[in-house]
Amino acid sequence: MKNQEIAKILYEIADLLEIEGVEFKPRAYRRAAQNIESLSVDIEELYKKGQLDKIPGVGKSIAEKIKEYLETGKVRKLEELRKKIPVDIESLSAVEGLGPRMIKTLYEKLGVKNLDDLERVCKERRLRRLKGFGEKLERKILENIQLVKQRQQQRFLLGFVLPEANAIVEELKPYVKKISLAGSIRRRKETIGDVDILAVADEPEYVMDLFTGMKRVEKVLAKGKTKSSVRLYGGIQVDLRIVEEESFGSALQYFTGSKEHNIEVRKIAIKHGYKLNEYGLFKGEKKIAGKDEEEVYKALGMQWIPPELRENRGEIEAALNGSLPKLVEYEDVKGDLQMHTKWSDGANTIEEMVQEAKKLGHKFIAITDHVGSLKIAGGMDEEDVKEQAKEIEKIREKYDDIYIFHGVEANIMKDGSLDVSNSLLKEVDLVLASVHSAFRMDEKEMTKRVIKAIEHEYVDIIAHPTCRIIQKREPIKLDIEKVFEAAKENDVIMEINAYPDRLDLNDIHTKMAIEMGIKISIGTDAHSKEHLKFYELGVAVARRGWAEKKDIINTYNIEELRKLFQK
Ligand code: DGT
Ligand code: CA
Ligand code: CA
Ligand code: ZN
């Protein structure tokens, strides 16, 4: 599937056009790229059916470029732009704080072409001397270069890798006896280094042929009877291992990891006088378990441990004394509590979101468009909210099998107040509040700011509480324990934002919040209907955070939720 690859190209065109000082077009290219990277269908299929222009944000000119790329492997426009501005735009524009015009200046004045050049001119204190830069920015950029470098160790977002990995499993399933994801992707870690797949097959060679010959494979890195590795378009590596049926369980246990978890499990095996490896659990020469994971854990006196918990964060002890949590299941989640529509900065209408949510089996959703001053997000005013309420009422009448909560997402200002009036907030069923500006306050101020919002009489949920963007933006500085204490005190709910690069709260904070007795909501923060499917990532984080059904309000029924949101 070339979706990710094409999105990347469109992003690059956007960046280069922006450097050129072209107006409007960069935004259009980015919007198209965003929609393409979250498409659930193969873009080549759309192309074959002549339906490229059905993708939101893809007009004639962008469709032409996609077509050109699929047919020739190149985009002339991009080649021209690259020649004119020969810089590593992807890396440089990934440095937060470094805008396109700055990149141009740095190239023209200091010959900066890539991250190493940039790091050098910062360290030589030459950047600060350029007009419009300064010492503070130089320091900030130097910090942010490290973030980009970390990210270039090439970890991939779970949300974009999981659909591909699942598709590979489905593709191979008819030809194998058993197959499962393993490694970090089975544990649903937020980023994935490479995808591990394990299978049992009667004809391993044939399965390896299929695997290395898949359409989505860009390069075969290794091919053997028991292990092959490929790189997919988009860059991620996938390893397939084929094992004996009697060892499938122990191999799955071994290759699921985490390494830290495995080390502890092996210690327990040793304590029993056993030996545990990927081939089985052995007492002397005798194999006592290995066919499935359950029997391996059982033979060690443990409960079977869900993969999401295997991080050596207390699960071993719990499994030994039979006190593992009964994790919330994917099917327990009955709705989505954050999404945006055309009323603010979303791509779809309320009704389109409702229809898509129904397809996912949701029983309720909350429409939570932006309100207030945030200009780029198209914040609504009180009149808009009243109008929107009327539209929602009409749609409610039309759909009796899904309930629509009317919510808003309000901005938490620097002083902790919201930039909308109480009379606006009174119009709606639920109020999300979140930080969307001034991310760089010190911990004390920021904690005070968020707590003040928590204490606001109408706030129900704090959305994306730490504001981190994976591999892009560090979390805001918060005394998270104090924040949770305030949330507990005020019966305010903390969100797990399920958008692939947010996952905020993360797993560790989720566990902490739950231990403190705080309720959690899951919201996709969808800005188009394609994003609604990401709710599963939120459930994954919840499970990694040891959440049970009762901890996650998305498992409640509509009456219970109404009561919870009551003013
Ligand atoms: P990733 O790919 O970086 O997102 O993380 P993982 O956990 O998928 O790691 P990976 O792909 O290197 O290896 C897959 C699993 O294999 C890992 O979770 C545990 C197991 N494993 C790999 N190397 C070792 C090792 O040296 N010792 C132990 N105990 N287990 C290992
Ligand atoms: Ca892996
Ligand atoms: Ca691997
Ligand atoms: Zn937000």
Side-chain angles (χ1 to χ4, degrees), residues 243-279:
V243 300
E244 297 297 326
E245 193 164 11
E246 311 79 75
S247 309
F248 184 72
S250 45
L252 188 58
Q253 197 284 324
Y254 180 86
F255 288 111
T256 296
S258 65
K259 201 171 147 190
E260 292 73 17
H261 171 89
N262 285 355
I263 290 170
E264 292 306 312
V265 175
R266 208 167 319 127
K267 278 188 200 158
I268 292 164
I270 292 167
K271 243 192 241 163
H272 282 81
Y274 302 155
K275 194 177 84 189
L276 175 64
N277 58 32
E278 57 195 283
Y279 303 105

Coordinates of all heavy atoms in Angstrom, one line a residue, residues 243-279:
V243 N 7.6 -21.4 13.0 CA 8.1 -22.3 14.0 C 7.3 -23.6 14.0 O 6.3 -23.7 13.4 CB 8.0 -21.6 15.4 CG1 8.8 -20.3 15.5 CG2 6.5 -21.3 15.8
E244 N 7.8 -24.6 14.8 CA 7.1 -25.8 14.9 C 5.9 -25.6 15.8 O 5.8 -24.8 16.7 CB 8.0 -26.9 15.7 CG 9.3 -27.2 14.9 CD 9.0 -27.9 13.5 OE1 7.9 -28.6 13.5 OE2 9.7 -27.6 12.6
E245 N 4.8 -26.4 15.5 CA 3.6 -26.3 16.2 C 3.7 -26.5 17.7 O 3.1 -25.8 18.5 CB 2.5 -27.2 15.6 CG 1.1 -26.9 16.1 CD 0.0 -27.5 15.3 OE1 0.3 -28.4 14.5 OE2 -1.1 -27.1 15.5
E246 N 4.6 -27.4 18.1 CA 4.7 -27.7 19.5 C 5.4 -26.6 20.3 O 5.4 -26.5 21.5 CB 5.5 -29.0 19.8 CG 5.2 -30.2 19.1 CD 5.7 -30.2 17.6 OE1 7.0 -30.4 17.5 OE2 5.0 -30.0 16.7
S247 N 6.1 -25.7 19.5 CA 6.8 -24.6 20.2 C 6.1 -23.2 20.0 O 6.6 -22.2 20.4 CB 8.2 -24.5 19.6 OG 8.8 -25.7 19.6
F248 N 4.9 -23.2 19.3 CA 4.3 -21.9 19.0 C 4.1 -21.1 20.2 O 4.4 -19.9 20.2 CB 3.0 -22.2 18.2 CG 2.3 -20.9 17.8 CD1 2.9 -20.2 16.7 CD2 1.2 -20.4 18.4 CE1 2.3 -19.0 16.3 CE2 0.6 -19.2 17.9 CZ 1.2 -18.5 16.9
G249 N 3.6 -21.7 21.3 CA 3.3 -20.9 22.5 C 4.6 -20.3 23.1 O 4.6 -19.1 23.5
S250 N 5.6 -21.1 23.2 CA 6.8 -20.6 23.9 C 7.5 -19.6 23.0 O 8.1 -18.6 23.4 CB 7.8 -21.7 24.3 OG 7.9 -22.6 23.2
A251 N 7.4 -19.8 21.6 CA 8.0 -18.8 20.7 C 7.2 -17.5 20.8 O 7.8 -16.4 20.8 CB 8.0 -19.4 19.3
L252 N 5.9 -17.6 20.8 CA 5.1 -16.4 20.9 C 5.4 -15.7 22.2 O 5.5 -14.4 22.2 CB 3.6 -16.8 20.8 CG 2.6 -15.7 20.7 CD1 2.9 -14.8 19.5 CD2 1.2 -16.2 20.6
Q253 N 5.5 -16.4 23.3 CA 5.8 -15.8 24.5 C 7.2 -15.1 24.4 O 7.3 -13.9 24.8 CB 5.9 -16.8 25.6 CG 5.8 -16.3 27.1 CD 7.1 -15.7 27.6 OE1 8.2 -16.2 27.2 NE2 7.0 -14.7 28.3
Y254 N 8.2 -15.8 23.9 CA 9.5 -15.2 23.7 C 9.5 -13.9 22.8 O 10.0 -12.9 23.2 CB 10.5 -16.2 23.2 CG 11.9 -15.7 23.0 CD1 12.8 -15.7 24.1 CD2 12.3 -15.1 21.8 CE1 14.1 -15.2 24.0 CE2 13.6 -14.6 21.7 CZ 14.5 -14.6 22.8 OH 15.7 -14.1 22.7
F255 N 8.9 -14.1 21.7 CA 9.0 -13.0 20.7 C 8.0 -11.8 20.9 O 8.0 -10.8 20.3 CB 8.9 -13.5 19.3 CG 10.1 -14.2 18.8 CD1 10.1 -15.6 18.6 CD2 11.4 -13.6 18.7 CE1 11.3 -16.3 18.3 CE2 12.5 -14.2 18.3 CZ 12.5 -15.6 18.1
T256 N 7.1 -12.0 21.9 CA 6.2 -10.9 22.2 C 6.9 -10.0 23.2 O 6.7 -8.8 23.1 CB 4.9 -11.5 22.9 OG1 4.2 -12.2 21.9 CG2 4.0 -10.3 23.3
G257 N 7.8 -10.5 24.0 CA 8.5 -9.6 24.9 C 7.6 -9.1 26.0 O 6.6 -9.7 26.3
S258 N 7.9 -7.9 26.5 CA 9.1 -7.2 26.3 C 10.3 -8.0 26.8 O 10.2 -8.9 27.6 CB 9.1 -5.8 26.9 OG 9.1 -6.0 28.3
K259 N 11.5 -7.5 26.4 CA 12.7 -8.1 26.9 C 12.7 -8.1 28.4 O 13.1 -9.1 29.0 CB 13.9 -7.3 26.3 CG 15.2 -8.1 26.3 CD 16.2 -7.2 25.5 CE 17.6 -7.5 26.1 NZ 18.6 -6.6 25.6
E260 N 12.3 -7.0 29.0 CA 12.3 -6.9 30.5 C 11.4 -7.9 31.1 O 11.7 -8.4 32.2 CB 12.0 -5.4 30.9 CG 13.0 -4.4 30.5 CD 13.0 -4.0 29.0 OE1 12.0 -4.4 28.3 OE2 14.0 -3.5 28.5
H261 N 10.2 -8.0 30.5 CA 9.3 -9.0 31.0 C 9.8 -10.4 30.9 O 9.8 -11.2 31.9 CB 8.0 -8.9 30.2 CG 6.9 -10.0 30.4 ND1 6.0 -9.8 31.4 CD2 6.7 -11.2 29.9 CE1 5.2 -10.9 31.4 NE2 5.7 -11.7 30.5
N262 N 10.4 -10.7 29.8 CA 11.0 -12.1 29.5 C 12.1 -12.4 30.6 O 12.1 -13.6 31.0 CB 11.5 -12.2 28.1 CG 10.4 -12.3 27.1 OD1 9.2 -12.4 27.5 ND2 10.8 -12.3 25.8
I263 N 12.9 -11.5 30.8 CA 14.0 -11.7 31.8 C 13.4 -12.2 33.1 O 13.9 -13.1 33.7 CB 14.8 -10.5 31.9 CG1 15.6 -10.3 30.6 CG2 15.8 -10.6 33.1 CD1 16.4 -8.9 30.5
E264 N 12.3 -11.5 33.6 CA 11.7 -11.8 34.9 C 11.1 -13.2 34.8 O 11.1 -14.0 35.8 CB 10.7 -10.8 35.3 CG 11.3 -9.4 35.6 CD 12.4 -9.5 36.7 OE1 12.2 -10.2 37.7 OE2 13.5 -8.9 36.5
V265 N 10.4 -13.5 33.7 CA 9.7 -14.8 33.6 C 10.7 -15.9 33.6 O 10.5 -17.0 34.2 CB 8.9 -14.8 32.3 CG1 8.3 -16.2 32.1 CG2 7.7 -13.8 32.3
R266 N 11.9 -15.7 32.9 CA 12.9 -16.7 32.9 C 13.4 -16.9 34.3 O 13.8 -18.1 34.6 CB 14.0 -16.3 31.9 CG 14.7 -17.6 31.3 CD 15.5 -17.3 30.1 NE 14.9 -16.4 29.2 CZ 15.5 -15.2 28.8 NH1 16.7 -14.9 29.2 NH2 14.9 -14.4 27.9
K267 N 13.6 -15.9 35.1 CA 14.0 -16.1 36.4 C 13.1 -17.0 37.2 O 13.6 -17.8 38.0 CB 14.1 -14.7 37.2 CG 15.3 -13.9 36.9 CD 15.4 -12.7 37.8 CE 16.3 -11.6 37.2 NZ 15.9 -10.3 37.8
I268 N 11.8 -16.8 37.0 CA 10.9 -17.7 37.7 C 11.0 -19.1 37.2 O 11.0 -20.1 38.1 CB 9.4 -17.2 37.5 CG1 9.3 -15.8 38.2 CG2 8.4 -18.2 38.0 CD1 8.1 -15.1 37.7
A269 N 11.2 -19.3 35.9 CA 11.5 -20.7 35.4 C 12.7 -21.3 36.1 O 12.7 -22.4 36.6 CB 11.7 -20.6 33.9
I270 N 13.7 -20.5 36.2 CA 15.0 -21.0 36.9 C 14.7 -21.4 38.3 O 15.2 -22.4 38.8 CB 16.1 -20.0 36.7 CG1 16.5 -19.9 35.3 CG2 17.3 -20.3 37.6 CD1 17.4 -18.7 34.9
K271 N 13.9 -20.6 39.0 CA 13.6 -20.8 40.4 C 12.9 -22.2 40.6 O 13.1 -22.9 41.6 CB 12.6 -19.8 41.0 CG 13.3 -18.9 42.1 CD 12.2 -18.1 42.8 CE 12.5 -16.6 42.7 NZ 11.4 -15.8 42.9
H272 N 12.1 -22.6 39.6 CA 11.4 -23.9 39.6 C 12.4 -25.0 39.1 O 12.0 -26.1 39.1 CB 10.2 -23.9 38.6 CG 9.0 -23.2 39.2 ND1 8.9 -21.8 39.2 CD2 7.9 -23.7 39.8 CE1 7.7 -21.5 39.7 NE2 7.1 -22.6 40.1
G273 N 13.6 -24.6 38.8 CA 14.5 -25.6 38.2 C 14.3 -25.9 36.8 O 14.7 -27.0 36.3
Y274 N 13.5 -25.1 36.1 CA 13.2 -25.3 34.7 C 14.1 -24.4 33.8 O 14.8 -23.5 34.3 CB 11.8 -24.9 34.3 CG 10.7 -25.6 35.1 CD1 9.5 -25.0 35.3 CD2 10.9 -26.9 35.6 CE1 8.5 -25.6 36.0 CE2 9.9 -27.5 36.3 CZ 8.7 -26.9 36.5 OH 7.7 -27.5 37.2
K275 N 14.0 -24.7 32.5 CA 14.7 -23.8 31.5 C 13.6 -23.3 30.5 O 12.8 -24.1 30.0 CB 15.8 -24.7 30.8 CG 16.7 -23.8 30.0 CD 17.8 -24.6 29.3 CE 17.3 -25.2 28.0 NZ 18.2 -26.2 27.4
L276 N 13.6 -22.0 30.3 CA 12.6 -21.5 29.3 C 13.3 -20.8 28.2 O 14.2 -20.0 28.4 CB 11.7 -20.5 30.1 CG 10.7 -19.7 29.2 CD1 9.7 -20.7 28.6 CD2 10.0 -18.6 30.0
N277 N 13.0 -21.2 27.0 CA 13.4 -20.5 25.8 C 12.4 -20.5 24.7 O 11.2 -21.0 25.0 CB 14.8 -21.0 25.3 CG 14.7 -22.5 25.0 OD1 13.6 -23.0 24.5 ND2 15.8 -23.3 25.2
E278 N 12.7 -20.0 23.5 CA 11.7 -20.0 22.5 C 11.2 -21.3 22.0 O 10.1 -21.4 21.4 CB 12.2 -19.2 21.3 CG 13.5 -19.8 20.7 CD 14.2 -18.8 19.8 OE1 13.8 -18.7 18.7 OE2 15.2 -18.3 20.3
Y279 N 11.9 -22.4 22.4 CA 11.5 -23.7 22.0 C 10.6 -24.4 23.0 O 9.9 -25.4 22.7 CB 12.7 -24.6 21.7 CG 13.6 -24.0 20.7 CD1 14.8 -23.4 21.0 CD2 13.2 -24.0 19.3 CE1 15.6 -22.8 20.1 CE2 14.0 -23.3 18.4 CZ 15.2 -22.8 18.7 OH 16.0 -22.1 17.8

